[in-house]
């Protein structure tokens, strides 16, 4: 019977906490609010323009295909070498 009482008490505590009118903000929210009160953040665009100074050309899909097939060929050759190697 005490297990049931414990469950009911825990359930009551959770409902009581969820129904609270005022919920205290987290420590991080309080820290940011205090920081922004003295030094508010500037506007930030939703999606900023990409930085083109260090941008490279996009890689051709054929390069990726060549790398995959080259890797497969290397594995096949390595396995073939290990199979025919004299002991």
């Amino acid at each position: 019977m005490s297990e049931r009482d414990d469950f009911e008490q825990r359930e009551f505590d959770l409902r009581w906490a969820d129904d609270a009118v005022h919920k205290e903000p987290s420590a991080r929210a309080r820290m940011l609010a205090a920081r922004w009160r003295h030094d508010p953040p500037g506007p930030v665009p939703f999606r900023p323009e990409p930085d083109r100074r260090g941008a490279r050309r996009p890689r051709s899909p054929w390069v990726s295909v060549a790398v995959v097939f080259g890797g497969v060929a290397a594995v096949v050759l390595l396995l073939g070498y290990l199979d025919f190697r004299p002991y």
Side-chain angles (χ1 to χ4, degrees), residues 36-48:
W36 291 346
R37 201 172 301 124
H38 300 295
D39 185 25
V44 178
F46 178 68
R47 291 188 179 178

Side-chain angles (χ1 to χ4, degrees), residues 9 14 46 50 52 59 68 71 77 84:
Q9 180 64 34
L14 289 174
F46 178 68
R52 292 290 180 190
R59 185 188 313 178
V68 169
L77 290 174
F84 290 121

Side-chain angles (χ1 to χ4, degrees), residues 22-37:
H22 176 74
K23 295 191 181 203
E24 184 176 342
S26 66
R28 175 142 176 89
R30 290 191 308 266
M31 179 194 70
L32 288 175
R35 182 186 302 168
W36 291 346
R37 201 172 301 124

Side-chain angles (χ1 to χ4, degrees), residues 4-83:
R4 182 182 169 103
D5 292 339
D6 186 40
F7 176 75
E8 288 175 0
Q9 180 64 34
R10 192 175 321 126
E11 190 67 27
F12 171 76
D13 289 343
L14 289 174
R15 277 185 275 134
W16 179 78
D18 288 340
D19 293 339
V21 175
H22 176 74
K23 295 191 181 203
E24 184 176 342
S26 66
R28 175 142 176 89
R30 290 191 308 266
M31 179 194 70
L32 288 175
R35 182 186 302 168
W36 291 346
R37 201 172 301 124
H38 300 295
D39 185 25
V44 178
F46 178 68
R47 291 188 179 178
E49 290 295 320
D51 187 16
R52 292 290 180 190
R53 282 180 274 158
R56 294 190 228 165
R57 272 187 324 136
R59 185 188 313 178
S60 168
W62 291 108
V63 172
S64 299
V65 170
V67 168
V68 169
F69 279 127
V72 170
V75 168
V76 167
L77 290 174
L78 178 66
L79 291 175
Y81 170 74
L82 292 176
D83 191 35

